[in-house]
Amino acid sequence: MMQRNSRRHASRFLPLLLGALLLTACGEPAKPAQPREIAADTSCALDGMILRDFPGPKAQIHYDQGEPDFFCDTREMFSILLRPEQKKRVVAVYTQDMAKADWNDPQGQWIDAKSAFYVVGSPRRGSMGPTVPSFANEADARKFADQYGGKVLPFTQVTIDMVDLSGGASHDEKM
């Protein structure tokens, strides 16, 4: 008799226990990938160049699996993100706010690349020649464009034609 009551009692709580386990397993939603700082030996995912050896904005792409890819130039970031053959699931993209970062030695100042503003067509040089500087706000991007030239665009309006990497190493300043 006692054993039968225990089973009946346990069968009432089994659905509650399973529900609690499911909620625990799901937990809180995963926090978005946070930007990583560039180390002395951090190299570009495309060409192996050491990022700290070059001026201008850098970028990093985080995927749902594996380590993030780093890029010594925002043009490289765009060339990866805008390719139709890009198959990895991107969970975060960061670039640097060049209104706050030192152009010649940019460190930190990471911002969400998809909410940034970019200056396309400026002659200001990064690691791959003329680059596409990134800014956290439009006013800073416009100030840069007024000083150096170029057109201010949000992330969604930058096209693959604007960030063409043809010529590659021929544009490198220190190779």
Side-chain angles (χ1 to χ4, degrees):
M1 179 83 170
M2 183 83 116
Q3 197 175 31
R4 189 180 301 162
N5 284 339
S6 294
R7 285 185 192 154
R8 199 175 294 151
H9 185 69
S11 68
R12 283 189 230 162
F13 289 103
L14 188 59
L16 291 174
L17 179 62
L18 287 173
L21 286 172
L22 283 173
L23 286 175
T24 303
C26 294
E28 303 236 350
K31 292 181 182 177
Q34 296 300 306
R36 293 196 188 169
E37 290 307 322
I38 297 170
D41 64 344
T42 302
S43 62
C44 178
L46 293 183
D47 55 25
M49 293 168 44
I50 301 297
L51 272 61
R52 283 204 173 164
D53 289 348
F54 299 93
K58 311 298 180 243
Q60 52 186 282
I61 300 175
H62 295 253
Y63 305 99
D64 65 342
Q65 295 181 7
E67 292 296 311
D69 284 339
F70 285 89
F71 303 93
C72 53
D73 194 288
T74 52
R75 291 175 60 184
E76 294 173 326
M77 171 197 74
F78 278 113
S79 74
I80 294 297
L81 292 174
L82 298 177
R83 285 183 189 167
E85 66 269 16
Q86 166 65 338
K87 297 289 187 227
K88 293 181 182 178
R89 185 172 170 268
V90 174
V91 296
V93 184
Y94 296 101
T95 188
Q96 294 172 301
D97 183 355
M98 296 313 291
K100 296 179 180 175
D102 177 346
W103 188 273
N104 294 314
D105 186 24
Q107 295 181 31
Q109 306 304 328
W110 295 105
I111 57 175
D112 177 358
K114 291 184 178 183
S115 65
F117 292 89
Y118 298 87
V119 179
V120 177
S122 165
R124 194 84 198 262
R125 297 179 70 83
S127 67
M128 302 301 289
T131 189
V132 181
S134 46
F135 298 89
N137 65 65
E138 189 173 5
D140 288 334
R142 291 206 182 284
K143 184 177 174 182
F144 181 93
D146 288 345
Q147 183 175 358
Y148 296 104
K151 181 178 179 180
V152 176
L153 297 173
F155 178 89
T156 57
Q157 291 182 13
V158 177
T159 67
I160 193 72
D161 295 338
M162 295 173 187
V163 293
D164 181 30
L165 292 176
S166 61
S170 67
H171 295 293
D172 292 354
E173 291 184 338
K174 293 187 178 182
M175 284 189 79

